[in-house]
């Protein structure tokens, strides 16, 4: 019997799901959030409506006879969410600071319908609605993040707010089948105090210091905020992989255990200054450069304990001898310089023109050296890899907004982005190129052009609607091994959103959206440069691209009910369906490849992305966040934050069961509390994040498994005075092992790889001062 991950199920009723958490609660006493880089059409409507909704809320008297009064001054994150025609969740500064998180990934994992891949504490790709592989669009200040950018490179200190947009909108790229996450960088040009934040994280005896500083200022019509941070991080990872192969008769042919250890040190600096200038005629100009530099050094050691190998075993097609021990070292440095700019001009009649512009440069350099030894200690391989990549991009966009008729706001605009990537990679095995195409230079150019038009209008006092249309075309060209490769695609995306405010039901409302979106193939999936596997087999194949890939196309519908509570809380339920055509999956097959060592063709297992057909995914997302005193006026000052999501999906051209979208879990949930004891300056709280184990039938012969993930985070915050506070947090307090695996059942061979990786608790002490 093969080892099997612990697959567990949990049945939750709708009522209990509302107590399972993580979207943090925005208090009505918080200060007004800073404005976005570019006011959307919806923002203008929100401002007008928010003025009529701002009011005092008087709670029942407390035991000492003093009434509690909460005053909402200006637009809150919750109010903007309610008035937005397209479904949008705002995660503001107060909530970003709440738990003392060290990465944006830790913040995002608590949001409704958002999951983070990989093991706790090590980041991973961000997924909305459980959909991996680039279905979630990540934006920085409303623009696409540069290639190679990692979410873990941003700390919460650098972010003003996070916007979660569940349905696509015309003014942003519609490459958002699952949704869009827009990260708005700090824009505190109006703040008066200098902010200094010092933090020290501790993980398994390793320290990680971080210093963040924001200095605001104003010179005449120019206002600015100079922000930056420096950090250093040390990490240790270890894990094991149990491999068991059987022949068609069910007899063992290979049993082995591989143990891997990695030590890593990363240092970096982030600079995010911001400048705003207001001209005499009322025009405004904003500029915000973003500089990130990080360096990483790591060392690895792998030990293979071969428990059993059949004398007749022919388990793979390796061209190198099996190793028993391997040691390696690697060094990498990444630098990104990106600039954002926005100019706004207002015309008579409340029309306005926004023009965005920007560009960026990126440099990524890495090198690694790996030594492999047999069981007798004899060196059998020296494998070196040197990779130098240069990225450059330039972009511009604009939007003209004009009120029209009664209750209409029309907008039209464009987006243009051009980028270039130059990559030089040399992979050598004992000083020789591993295969004929393993060291070729690569030059790739991309161009993305889009035009859009949209209309947001109030049909009556109860019903508002949004209609948009976007055309987007992408052209990718490159030269590989002297051969030109080109891929061109274009997509029309109609978008329709509506909000019905239920008469006589307070602020309750129903949302509906009908959208068309798409997912363009990634650059690495298009360009046919072969990435060599040192242990080539059907389980560890080489990887290559496919220049003939088509974009995935999706039609979707969203329906949501939102019940807004008196104290800025919310209870909501959202249901969605997505139909996806031209689904992209990787297919592994045996090909004949020329070996330059002897001039002969040899068989290699090669993985290549292909369009395989149609898929469907659907789900329900439940959310509840509220103050306990909303329901128990004399109760303690506890904020409850909870959400629960359940996902279903199926891929037509893959046999079931569990023929789900790649990496999509069946469920995910959060439950969090924040408590402020009366008469103290202390706030304590925590969050439980849960994703059950699940299986994915990724092809007709392969099953991928992911183990259960349970992460407990706690924090305590002491506010000595308005200018000084100290926060202590513990992330991943349980530190459970992270389990994953894969099973391949073919006509001639069965194999299981069962992976177990350790995770660790991270303690962080953070001091925040206003000077």
């Amino acid at each position: 019997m093969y080892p099997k991950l612990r697959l567990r199920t949990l049945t939750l009723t709708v009522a209990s799901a509302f107590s399972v958490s993580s979207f943090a609660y925005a208090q009505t006493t918080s200060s007004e959030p800073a404005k976005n880089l570019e006011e959307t059409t919806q923002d203008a409507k929100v401002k007008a409506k928010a003025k009529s909704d701002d009011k005092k809320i008087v709670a029942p008297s407390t035991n000492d006879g003093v009434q509690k009064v909460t005053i909402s001054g200006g637009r809150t994150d919750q109010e903007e969410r309610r008035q937005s025609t397209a479904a949008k969740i705002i995660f503001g500064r107060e909530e970003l600071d709440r738990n003392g998180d060290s990465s944006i990934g830790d913040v995002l994992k608590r949001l409704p319908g958002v999951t983070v891949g990989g093991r706790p504490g090590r980041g991973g790709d961000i997924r909305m609605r459980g959909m991996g592989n680039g279905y979630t669009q990540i934006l920085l200040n409303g623009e696409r993040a540069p290639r190679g950018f990692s979410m873990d490179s941003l700390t919460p200190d650098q972010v003003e707010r996070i916007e979660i947009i569940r349905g696509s909108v015309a003014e942003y790229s519609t490459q958002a089948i699952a949704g869009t996450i827009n990260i708005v960088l700090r824009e505190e040009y109006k703040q008066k105090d200098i902010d200094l934040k010092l933090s020290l994280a501790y993980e398994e005896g390793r320290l990680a210091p971080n210093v963040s500083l924001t200095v605001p200022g104003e010179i005449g019509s120019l206002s600015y905020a100079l922000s930056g941070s420096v950090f250093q991080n040390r990490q240790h990872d270890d894990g094991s992989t149990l491999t068991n192969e059987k022949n068609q008769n069910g007899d063992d042919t290979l049993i082995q255990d591989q143990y891997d250890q990695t030590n890593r040190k990363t240092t970096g600096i982030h600079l995010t200054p911001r400048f705003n200038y207001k001209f005499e005629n009322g025009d405004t100009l904003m500029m915000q450069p973003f500089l990130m530099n990080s360096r990483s050094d790591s060392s690895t050691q792998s030990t293979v304990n071969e428990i059993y190998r059949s004398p007749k075993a022919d388990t793979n097609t390796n061209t190198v001898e099996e190793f028993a021990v391997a040691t390696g070292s690697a060094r990498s440095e990444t630098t990104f310089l990106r600039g954002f700019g926005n100019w706004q001009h207002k015309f008579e009649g409340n029309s306005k023109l926004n023009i965005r512009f920007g560009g960026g440069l990126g440099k990524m350099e890495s090198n690694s050296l790996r030594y492999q030894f047999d069981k007798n200690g004899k060196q059998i391989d020296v494998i070196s890899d040197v990779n130098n990549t240069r990225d450059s991009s330039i972009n511009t966009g604009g939007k003209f907004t004009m009120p029209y008729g009664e209750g209409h706001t029309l907008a039209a605009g464009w987006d243009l982005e051009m980028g270039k990537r130059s990559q030089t990679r040399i992979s050598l095995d004992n000083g020789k190129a591993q295969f004929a195409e393993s060291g070729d230079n690569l030059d790739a150019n991309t161009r993305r052009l889009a035009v859009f038009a949209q209309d947001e209008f109030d049909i009556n006092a109860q019903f508002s609607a949004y209609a948009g249309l976007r055309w987007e075309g992408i052209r990718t060209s490159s030269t590989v091994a002297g051969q030109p490769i080109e891929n061109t695609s274009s997509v029309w995306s109609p978008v329709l959103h509506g909000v019905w405010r239920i008469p006589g039901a307070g602020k309750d409302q129903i949302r509906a959206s009908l959208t068309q979106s798409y997912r363009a193939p990634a650059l690495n999936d298009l360009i046919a440069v072969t990435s060599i596997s040192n242990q080539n087999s059907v389980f560890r194949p080489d990887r290559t691209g496919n220049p003939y890939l088509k974009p995935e196309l999706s039609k979707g519908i969203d329906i949501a009910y939102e019940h807004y509570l008196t104290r800025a809380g919310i209870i909501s339920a959202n249901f969605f369906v997505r139909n996806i055509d031209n689904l992209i999956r990787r297919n592994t097959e045996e090909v004949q490849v020329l070996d330059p060592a002897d001039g002969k063709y040899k068989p290699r297992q090669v993985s290549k992305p292909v369009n395989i057909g149609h898929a469907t995914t659907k789900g329900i997302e439940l959310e509840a966040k509220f103050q306990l005193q909303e329901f128990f006026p004399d109760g303690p000052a506890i904020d409850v934050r909870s959400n629960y999501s359940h996902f279903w999906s199926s891929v037509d051209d893959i046999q079931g069961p569990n023929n789900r979208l790649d990496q999509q879990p069946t469920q995910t949930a959060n439950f969090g509390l924040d408590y402020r004891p009366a008469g103290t300056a202390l706030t304590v709280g925590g969050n439980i994040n849960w994703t059950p184990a699940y299986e994915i039938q990724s092809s007709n012969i392969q099953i991928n498994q992911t183990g259960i993930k349970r992460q407990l985070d706690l924090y305590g915050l002491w506010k000595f005075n308005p200018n000084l506070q100290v926060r202590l947090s513990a992330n991943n307090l349980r530190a459970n092992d992270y389990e994953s695996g894969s099973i391949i059942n073919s006509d001639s061979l069965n194999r299981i790889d069962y992976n177990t990786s350790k995770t660790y608790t991270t303690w962080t002490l953070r001091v925040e001062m206003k000077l």
Side-chain angles (χ1 to χ4, degrees):
M1 177 68 66
Y2 289 132
K4 187 177 181 67
L5 299 182
R6 296 191 302 272
L7 297 176
R8 304 180 184 179
T9 59
L10 178 64
T11 303
L12 297 178
T13 64
V14 170
S16 65
F18 282 147
S19 343
V20 185
S21 139
S22 151
F23 184 96
Y25 170 75
Q27 298 183 47
T28 56
T29 55
S30 62
S31 59
E32 179 181 354
K35 299 177 183 178
N36 199 346
L37 292 177
E38 177 185 353
E39 285 189 334
T40 64
T41 305
Q42 299 173 44
D43 287 340
K45 294 181 65 179
V46 170
K47 284 184 176 181
K49 294 179 181 178
K51 289 180 180 179
S52 63
D53 290 329
D54 291 342
K55 55 188 176 182
K56 293 185 179 181
I57 301 172
V58 182
S61 300
T62 60
N63 293 333
D64 56 8
V66 179
Q67 286 188 325
K68 299 177 182 178
V69 180
T70 301
I71 300 176
S72 175
R75 179 178 49 158
T76 64
D77 294 342
Q78 178 117 326
E79 189 61 30
E80 182 172 350
R81 172 180 179 174
R82 189 177 78 87
Q83 298 291 352
S84 173
T85 307
K88 181 168 64 173
I89 302 174
I90 308 298
F91 202 63
R93 273 308 318 164
E94 181 176 356
E95 297 170 347
L96 285 166
D97 286 335
R98 185 185 303 274
N99 287 347
D101 298 307
S102 59
S103 72
I104 293 298
D106 289 332
V107 174
L108 289 172
K109 72 173 183 284
R110 304 187 186 101
L111 293 181
V114 178
T115 57
V116 179
R119 50 199 168 112
R122 292 297 180 265
D125 59 316
I126 306 300
R127 309 168 187 169
M128 290 181 64
R129 294 166 168 174
M131 301 169 65
N133 286 340
Y135 288 106
T136 300
Q137 178 174 234
I138 306 296
L139 301 179
L140 273 180
N141 290 344
E143 299 180 10
R144 293 174 60 82
R147 281 194 299 264
F149 177 82
S150 171
M151 189 75 70
D152 290 328
S153 64
L154 281 180
T155 63
D157 290 337
Q158 299 171 269
V159 178
E160 178 60 36
R161 73 174 185 258
I162 299 173
E163 301 173 345
I164 306 296
I165 305 171
R166 284 172 166 162
S168 56
V169 292
E171 65 182 291
Y172 291 148
S173 173
T174 52
Q175 294 190 60
I177 293 178
T180 296
I181 298 176
N182 183 30
I183 299 174
V184 182
L185 299 180
R186 292 298 290 268
E187 43 182 303
E188 294 179 327
Y189 55 91
K190 291 183 178 180
Q191 83 177 55
K192 298 180 181 180
D193 300 314
I194 297 174
D195 274 356
L196 175 62
K197 298 181 180 180
L198 309 173
S199 69
L200 184 65
Y202 175 89
E203 180 185 283
E204 289 292 298
R206 295 168 178 83
L207 299 178
N210 185 300
V211 179
S212 174
L213 179 66
T214 300
V215 179
E218 191 170 352
I219 304 175
S221 299
L222 175 68
S223 56
Y224 62 86
L226 307 179
S227 300
S229 62
V230 293
F231 66 90
Q232 185 175 88
N233 193 14
R234 290 181 173 88
Q235 294 176 331
H236 171 80
D237 296 324
D238 63 49
S240 62
T241 302
L242 174 64
T243 299
N244 185 196
E245 293 182 3
K246 297 178 181 289
N247 60 24
Q248 62 269 34
N249 298 322
D251 301 323
D252 289 329
T253 57
L254 176 66
I255 303 175
Q256 72 176 28
D257 192 17
Q258 180 172 323
Y259 181 63
D260 300 299
Q261 294 187 81
T262 301
N263 290 295
R264 184 186 309 105
K265 182 180 78 170
T266 303
T267 58
I269 181 171
H270 296 161
L271 300 176
T272 55
R274 178 185 173 91
F275 305 91
N276 278 265
Y277 188 83
K278 188 170 185 179
F279 296 89
E280 292 183 359
N281 65 352
D283 289 6
T284 59
L285 176 65
M286 181 282 299
M287 297 188 67
Q288 184 172 28
F290 173 70
L291 173 64
M292 182 196 78
N293 176 267
S294 64
R295 301 179 183 181
S296 178
D297 292 277
S298 63
S299 61
T300 61
Q301 179 168 327
S302 300
T303 303
V304 176
N305 178 24
E306 190 173 282
I307 301 170
Y308 173 76
R309 177 186 289 272
S310 170
K312 298 181 180 180
D314 183 17
T315 58
N316 55 46
T317 58
N318 288 353
T319 59
V320 297
E321 185 179 349
E322 292 284 351
F323 72 89
V325 175
T327 60
S329 61
R331 171 171 294 184
S332 64
E333 180 175 0
T334 301
T335 302
F336 284 116
L337 174 61
R338 181 111 186 209
F340 302 94
N342 181 66
W343 173 71
Q344 179 175 286
H345 175 74
K346 294 184 178 180
F347 299 91
E348 294 183 1
N350 294 323
S351 297
K352 63 181 178 181
L353 174 66
N354 282 283
I355 296 179
R356 295 179 287 104
F357 54 90
L361 298 172
K363 179 178 71 172
M364 292 160 282
E365 298 179 344
S366 65
N367 61 80
S368 64
L369 193 62
R370 179 181 173 93
Y371 297 89
Q372 298 187 160
F373 304 88
D374 64 16
K375 59 185 177 181
N376 297 318
K378 177 185 175 182
Q379 180 177 305
I380 55 177
D381 279 292
V382 179
I383 301 170
S384 65
D385 189 280
V386 178
N387 192 341
N388 294 313
T389 301
R390 300 290 186 272
D391 274 326
S392 60
S393 66
I394 186 170
N395 63 278
T396 183
K399 183 175 72 170
F400 177 74
T401 306
M402 177 182 68
Y404 175 76
E406 184 176 352
H408 287 261
T409 303
L410 299 177
W414 76 94
D415 282 306
L416 174 63
E417 180 183 21
M418 294 181 290
K420 180 177 181 180
R421 165 169 286 197
S422 298
Q423 182 176 2
T424 302
R425 182 175 182 180
I426 302 175
S427 300
L428 303 177
D429 187 347
N430 288 330
K432 297 180 180 179
Q434 297 184 64
F435 284 90
E437 295 183 359
S438 65
D440 288 292
N441 296 340
L442 165 69
D443 289 303
N445 294 277
T446 60
R447 185 193 66 197
R448 183 173 63 89
L449 174 64
V451 291
F452 68 89
Q454 61 188 30
D455 181 14
E456 190 170 5
F457 51 97
D458 293 324
I459 298 176
N460 52 46
Q462 279 72 46
F463 187 61
S464 298
Y466 167 103
L469 180 65
R470 183 182 181 94
W471 176 88
E472 190 161 343
I474 300 177
R475 178 180 179 272
T476 301
S477 60
S478 63
T479 301
V480 178
Q483 299 296 319
I485 295 175
E486 184 172 309
N487 183 285
T488 302
S489 62
S490 61
V491 176
W492 286 96
S493 299
V495 179
L496 183 63
H497 300 279
V499 178
W500 181 51
R501 299 173 182 89
I502 304 174
K507 296 182 178 181
D508 290 10
Q509 57 190 26
I510 295 176
R511 296 182 179 276
S513 300
L514 183 64
T515 59
Q516 184 164 303
S517 53
Y518 76 105
R519 174 193 172 220
L523 181 64
N524 290 338
D525 284 341
L526 288 172
I527 299 172
V529 172
T530 302
S531 175
I532 301 299
S533 169
N534 296 320
Q535 295 175 289
N536 183 263
S537 68
V538 68
F539 321 108
R540 295 186 177 92
D542 300 338
R543 295 171 68 87
T544 190
N546 180 3
Y548 303 106
L549 283 177
K550 299 177 182 179
E552 297 181 10
L553 303 178
S554 172
K555 294 181 175 65
I557 185 170
D558 290 75
I559 299 176
Y561 169 74
E562 298 174 345
H563 172 64
Y564 289 86
L565 303 175
T566 304
R567 293 172 174 262
I570 184 173
I571 296 175
S572 70
N574 185 82
F575 175 75
F576 72 91
V577 177
R578 296 287 186 273
N579 285 315
I580 304 173
D581 292 313
N582 298 331
L583 183 73
I584 298 174
R585 276 283 176 91
R586 281 196 165 267
N587 181 50
T588 299
E589 60 182 13
E590 184 178 288
V591 299
Q592 298 293 319
V593 179
L594 179 65
D595 187 343
D598 55 16
K600 296 181 179 180
Y601 283 90
K602 295 184 178 180
R604 301 283 293 185
Q605 296 292 334
V606 178
S607 171
K608 181 174 71 173
V610 295
N611 295 106
I612 66 170
H614 176 265
T616 302
T617 181
K618 56 188 176 181
I620 186 168
E621 299 161 316
L622 308 177
E623 178 190 6
K625 61 189 181 87
F626 53 87
Q627 290 182 349
L628 191 63
Q629 292 173 340
E630 173 87 22
F631 306 102
F632 304 98
D634 296 327
I638 293 178
D639 295 344
V640 178
R641 299 167 284 109
S642 62
N643 61 66
Y644 168 75
S645 302
H646 199 296
F647 310 114
W648 297 267
S649 62
S650 63
V651 178
D652 291 355
D653 290 355
I654 295 179
Q655 299 174 1
N658 300 318
N659 54 336
R660 304 169 55 81
L661 288 177
D662 194 23
Q663 305 177 38
Q664 186 182 50
T666 56
Q667 306 172 73
T668 183
N670 288 276
F671 178 74
L673 297 174
D674 301 292
Y675 173 51
R676 296 177 298 278
T680 71
L682 176 67
T683 302
V684 295
N687 187 86
I688 299 174
N689 175 261
W690 170 81
T691 303
Y694 59 93
E695 289 186 347
I696 301 290
Q697 185 81 41
S698 60
S699 71
N700 288 333
I701 66 169
Q702 183 169 353
I703 298 173
N704 293 326
Q705 298 179 323
T706 301
I708 188 171
K709 183 188 290 187
R710 292 165 295 190
Q711 186 169 342
L712 173 62
D713 302 331
L714 299 176
Y715 78 93
L717 171 65
W718 186 275
K719 294 185 178 181
F720 291 91
N721 56 58
N723 297 321
L724 176 63
Q725 62 184 29
V726 176
R727 184 189 311 269
L728 178 65
S729 60
N731 287 348
N732 192 30
L733 199 60
R734 290 177 57 93
N736 301 115
D737 289 346
Y738 180 72
E739 300 170 337
S740 62
S742 68
I743 299 173
I744 294 181
N745 293 309
S746 66
D747 294 336
S748 60
L749 184 67
N750 297 329
R751 170 166 170 151
I752 181 170
D753 287 293
Y754 182 83
N755 307 303
T756 302
S757 299
K758 293 185 178 299
T759 70
Y760 308 99
T761 300
T762 302
W763 296 86
T764 304
L765 180 64
R766 193 175 162 97
V767 180
E768 304 173 15
M769 296 177 283
K770 295 184 181 296
L771 307 177

